[in-house]
Amino acid sequence: MSMLAKMTSATSATSATSAKPKGPAGPARRILVHTLLIGVALVMLYPLMWMISSSLKPDQEIFTDPSLWPQHFHPQNYSKGWTGSGNSFTLYLTNSLIVTIGAVIGNVLSCSLAAYAFARFEFRGRRIWFALMLGTMMLPMQATLIPQYTLFFNLNWINTFLPLIVPKFLATDAFFIFLMVQFIRSIPRELDQAAMMDGANPGQIYLKIILPLMKPALVTTTIFTFIWTYDDFFSQLVYLSDNEKFTVPLGLTLFLDKTAGSSFGPMFAMSALALLPTLICFLIFQKRLVEGLATSGMKG
């Protein structure tokens, strides 16, 4: 019995010895990891810091002085940029917000309805339609650009906000449908059955049970739709041609002129201000965004 106790104690000592961390001590390792993370963060933030610094420099100093601290502060870039493109920059911000808010509302409503149907209803060909819906994510935008433009041209929608907003009400973003389907599948069906026993119809179940419980997925859809639509340049360039209809990405291009000369200082100043809506949106919904990404897709 004593021999067994000795062998057990020896095994425990060996395990404890092997469990000791090798290499640098714990605090030193943490300092090294944090130093590397800070270095990577500075590399990623450098373009943003350079843009903000350039917005406070004269044009002739922007590309000749690589330092982030301006030698000559030129805050007039902000006042020049606000009215220097021919229209007030308020017009471009307003147009962007109209398009973005319309796209957000359309995506949240249509994608949540489509996801509810795929996740809760049994109908013929449901798996096939769901697979086809997912397959649209692999279809490049360039493949559908000409047919869509022809359709919108025949509807007299060119140079209006309708081509940028109306498709969002038709559940065209398969990524968000898939995200919401996975989230709804994680909600117990017993809640639906209990509501049906109380006399609730599918519409009431959707409004009173599904929507309140899938707030994280709805917030995730809202944030990504807001950022992707607000930053979209290509679609707005294709469908908008009147300066009065320009959004922020198109308005920034008006500062670039090969013949009369480009105004880089005002352009960088307006670019810095253009980041504020997306930054505010992200800061407000950051907690919900992480929760939505963490809880979606837990069930297949």
Side-chain angles (χ1 to χ4, degrees):
M1 196 69 181
S2 59
M3 181 64 68
L4 180 60
K6 291 180 179 179
M7 292 177 62
T8 303
S9 60
T11 304
S12 302
T14 305
S15 301
T17 304
S18 59
K20 290 183 179 179
K22 298 180 180 180
R29 181 178 299 177
R30 286 196 295 270
I31 293 174
L32 178 61
V33 171
H34 283 80
T35 302
L36 291 176
L37 291 176
I38 293 173
V40 173
L42 290 176
V43 171
M44 296 179 65
L45 290 175
Y46 178 80
L48 177 63
M49 294 186 294
W50 182 86
M51 182 186 68
I52 296 175
S53 173
S54 299
S55 69
L56 296 171
K57 295 180 180 179
D59 284 352
Q60 63 273 13
E61 188 181 325
I62 292 176
F63 299 106
T64 58
D65 182 16
S67 65
L68 295 178
W69 189 260
Q71 296 182 3
H72 305 88
F73 280 91
H74 199 69
Q76 297 87 341
N77 287 334
Y78 286 86
S79 58
K80 289 181 180 179
W82 199 261
T83 57
S85 61
N87 293 311
S88 173
F89 208 76
T90 307
L91 176 64
Y92 306 138
L93 285 172
T94 303
N95 292 340
S96 282
L97 291 178
I98 292 174
V99 173
T100 302
I101 293 175
V104 167
I105 295 174
N107 254 356
V108 169
L109 289 178
S110 62
C111 292
S112 61
L113 285 170
Y116 177 57
F118 279 122
R120 286 296 195 255
F121 295 161
E122 294 292 339
F123 52 89
R124 181 177 298 179
R126 181 172 65 95
R127 294 182 181 274
I128 297 176
W129 288 115
F130 187 71
L132 290 175
M133 183 271 298
L134 292 179
T136 60
M137 290 193 294
M138 296 181 288
L139 192 65
M141 178 183 179
Q142 292 76 7
T144 60
L145 176 62
I146 295 178
Q148 286 181 351
Y149 187 90
T150 303
L151 174 63
F152 296 142
F153 180 81
N154 293 331
L155 293 173
N156 293 322
W157 286 4
I158 301 301
N159 199 30
T160 67
F161 297 146
L162 295 178
L164 304 173
I165 298 177
V166 173
K168 302 298 183 181
F169 285 85
L170 303 177
T172 56
D173 285 326
F175 171 78
F176 298 119
I177 298 176
F178 175 74
L179 179 74
M180 293 184 185
V181 165
Q182 299 303 98
F183 196 95
I184 294 175
R185 285 176 178 172
S186 66
I187 300 175
R189 285 182 177 268
E190 288 77 8
L191 297 176
D192 300 17
Q193 296 170 358
M196 292 177 65
M197 293 179 63
D198 291 337
N201 56 44
Q204 292 172 329
I205 294 174
Y206 166 76
L207 291 174
K208 297 182 179 180
I209 296 178
I210 300 299
L211 280 184
L213 292 177
M214 60 183 300
K215 283 183 180 179
L218 296 178
V219 171
T220 303
T221 301
T222 298
I223 294 176
F224 279 111
T225 302
F226 186 95
I227 295 175
W228 291 350
T229 305
Y230 184 84
D231 293 340
D232 183 24
F233 175 79
F234 183 73
S235 298
Q236 298 167 9
L237 178 65
V238 170
Y239 295 115
L240 301 178
S241 57
D242 187 1
N243 287 5
E244 299 293 328
K245 300 287 196 320
F246 276 8
T247 55
V248 168
L250 298 181
L252 292 175
T253 62
L254 299 178
F255 291 100
L256 302 177
D257 192 340
K258 295 181 180 180
T259 57
S262 301
S263 302
F264 291 105
M267 183 186 69
F268 288 132
M270 293 302 98
S271 298
L273 292 180
L275 293 175
L276 292 179
T278 54
L279 180 61
I280 293 172
C281 178
F282 179 79
L283 291 177
I284 292 175
F285 298 107
Q286 180 181 10
K287 182 179 179 180
R288 289 287 187 178
L289 173 64
V290 175
E291 182 180 353
L293 293 176
T295 55
S296 298
M298 295 181 64
K299 288 189 177 182

